[in-house]
Amino acid sequence: MSNFSTYFWEKKNTRKYHKRKKNIFQKIQKKISIFTNVPPKMFASISIFWIVLAIVFLLFYSPYTSISKINVYREWWLIDINRAYDQLDYLRWKNILSIDNASIAERLQKSQSSISQIRINKDFPNTININLNSYKIAFQTEKDFILANGSITPKENESFPDARFIYLSEDTWEYIDFQKKLSVPQLTTIEKIINESTKNILGFNPVEIYYYIKERELIIKDSNWTLYIFDLEQDVNTQIRRLAIYRTESWEIKTNSNTYVDVRIPDKIFVCSREEESTCNNNLEQIYSDIIFQSPPQEVSESPL
């Protein structure tokens, strides 16, 4: 082909290319003009909508914010941490923002009455930390702990030396509520009687404590095997005051000649001496258990060889 023909062919192809390129550019420009012709306010609203939609999806529907780790910490061994984990297992793979702290706390406290306070912290994006505090021990029996909220928790081979031992009447389980809780006001009154009597009555040394739920009464046995009977429904301060005055003025207390001292009767104190021990105990045994109404051990004198 001649040089003229080659030049003409290349020039023709170049014109077609530029024309085709111009057409493509015009089409792109038309598509862009769809957005450039949108009013600025509408364009901003549309942009914000899509941004918000993306954030909502990321926070509430993305696996990134699903709970995968649950940490439970307990303040004291009275709380069963394994049972707590079982109660919280339903939270796994739920969205961390959708969980309700109040419902979690209610679920845990229903499963364990020993739990007093619950702190729930969300550690984004997928971890929750739960701290559990328990009620303090008010008293203990041979098999159970009695907590400050009245709940009764099995000891499980552990004891707590700082808690006083208390004996519950045999019919205890017939009179406590369905949640196996003792009366908190009465427990508070018992603590007050023990603390105030020990503090304000010289030489008063409680050795054994007996709580009678049906009668709402408290019996304290001291180191001399003398019984002191209190009414938990009457004014405690008045009963303690009467007992303090009697112990100050009575010589029988010092000589250990009383079986029991009853401060329940208003403005009076009823005393049963050792000489009438058999008669008095027979009357009390009709109301209370006969276990505590035993005579003090007699000292055995050694006979000379």
Side-chain angles (χ1 to χ4, degrees):
M1 183 178 293
S2 64
N3 292 336
F4 176 78
S5 299
T6 301
Y7 171 78
F8 178 78
W9 176 259
E10 289 178 356
K11 191 173 182 180
K12 184 178 179 180
N13 286 343
T14 302
R15 284 199 301 270
K16 287 182 179 180
Y17 170 75
H18 284 292
K19 186 176 181 180
R20 185 167 64 251
K21 185 177 180 181
K22 184 178 180 180
N23 291 339
I24 293 173
F25 178 75
Q26 288 176 346
K27 289 179 180 179
I28 294 173
Q29 195 174 23
K30 285 181 180 180
K31 291 181 179 180
I32 295 175
S33 66
I34 296 175
F35 297 97
T36 58
N37 292 333
V38 176
K41 290 185 178 180
M42 182 179 293
F43 181 78
S45 300
I46 294 173
S47 301
I48 292 173
F49 170 77
W50 284 107
I51 292 173
V52 170
L53 189 64
I55 293 174
V56 169
F57 175 80
L58 179 64
L59 292 178
F60 291 95
Y61 298 99
S62 170
Y64 183 69
T65 54
S66 297
I67 297 173
S68 60
K69 190 174 182 181
I70 301 173
N71 298 320
V72 180
Y73 306 96
R74 63 179 181 178
E75 179 194 30
W76 218 2
W77 43 264
L78 285 172
I79 297 174
D80 188 337
I81 199 167
N82 293 323
R83 191 188 304 178
Y85 272 114
D86 291 341
Q87 293 296 320
L88 297 170
D89 196 56
Y90 77 102
L91 294 174
R92 293 191 185 278
W93 311 118
K94 284 191 174 184
N95 187 273
I96 196 170
L97 295 176
S98 66
I99 62 174
D100 180 28
N101 289 3
S103 62
I104 294 174
E106 182 180 4
R107 185 185 183 98
L108 287 170
Q109 288 180 321
K110 281 185 176 180
S111 67
Q112 298 189 65
S113 58
S114 59
I115 298 176
S116 62
Q117 293 181 342
I118 300 172
R119 296 192 303 273
I120 302 174
N121 298 315
K122 299 174 183 178
D123 187 6
F124 289 94
N126 53 16
T127 302
I128 59 172
N129 300 311
I130 300 178
N131 293 272
L132 304 177
N133 295 338
S134 66
Y135 288 98
K136 302 303 181 183
I137 298 175
F139 298 98
Q140 61 181 320
T141 67
E142 291 183 358
K143 297 181 180 179
D144 304 300
F145 289 115
I146 301 174
L147 306 186
N149 68 332
S151 61
I152 300 176
T153 303
K155 276 189 174 180
E156 297 182 357
N157 298 325
E158 296 189 51
S159 61
F160 188 64
D162 294 336
R164 286 185 178 274
F165 273 88
I166 191 170
Y167 296 90
L168 302 178
S169 55
E170 296 179 358
D171 56 358
T172 295
W173 302 105
E174 299 177 14
Y175 294 95
I176 62 176
D177 62 24
F178 69 95
Q179 293 181 331
K180 294 186 177 180
K181 285 187 177 182
L182 299 173
S183 168
V184 174
Q186 289 191 13
L187 289 177
T188 304
T189 302
I190 292 172
E191 287 185 317
K192 183 176 182 180
I193 290 174
I194 297 170
N195 294 334
E196 293 297 320
S197 298
T198 306
K199 177 182 177 182
N200 297 313
I201 301 177
L202 183 63
F204 187 81
N205 181 27
V207 175
E208 295 179 359
I209 304 165
Y210 299 85
Y211 174 28
Y212 293 88
I213 296 175
K214 177 183 176 182
E215 294 79 10
R216 297 182 177 87
E217 292 173 352
L218 180 74
I219 296 180
I220 298 177
K221 180 187 289 186
D222 70 1
S223 55
N224 293 324
W225 284 62
T226 300
L227 305 177
Y228 299 89
I229 307 175
F230 295 86
D231 189 335
L232 299 177
E233 296 294 310
Q234 294 187 26
D235 182 57
V236 172
N237 294 325
T238 302
Q239 296 180 74
I240 295 174
R241 192 180 307 115
R242 286 201 302 266
L243 179 59
I245 294 172
Y246 172 75
R247 282 180 59 95
T248 302
E249 297 177 350
S250 176
W251 65 271
E252 289 92 347
I253 292 292
K254 298 178 182 178
T255 58
N256 188 25
S257 60
N258 287 335
T259 300
Y260 72 81
V261 178
D262 188 349
V263 298
R264 296 174 299 170
I265 306 172
D267 301 323
K268 293 182 181 180
I269 286 186
F270 183 81
V271 179
C272 175
S273 66
R274 295 289 182 201
E275 297 166 355
E276 303 173 310
E277 181 176 12
S278 177
T279 303
C280 293
N281 282 351
N282 288 335
N283 293 333
L284 291 176
E285 286 170 10
Q286 296 178 8
I287 304 174
Y288 308 106
S289 168
D290 61 349
I291 298 176
I292 65 172
F293 302 109
Q294 299 175 359
S295 300
Q298 301 294 326
E299 295 184 3
V300 180
S301 59
E302 297 183 0
S303 58
L305 296 176

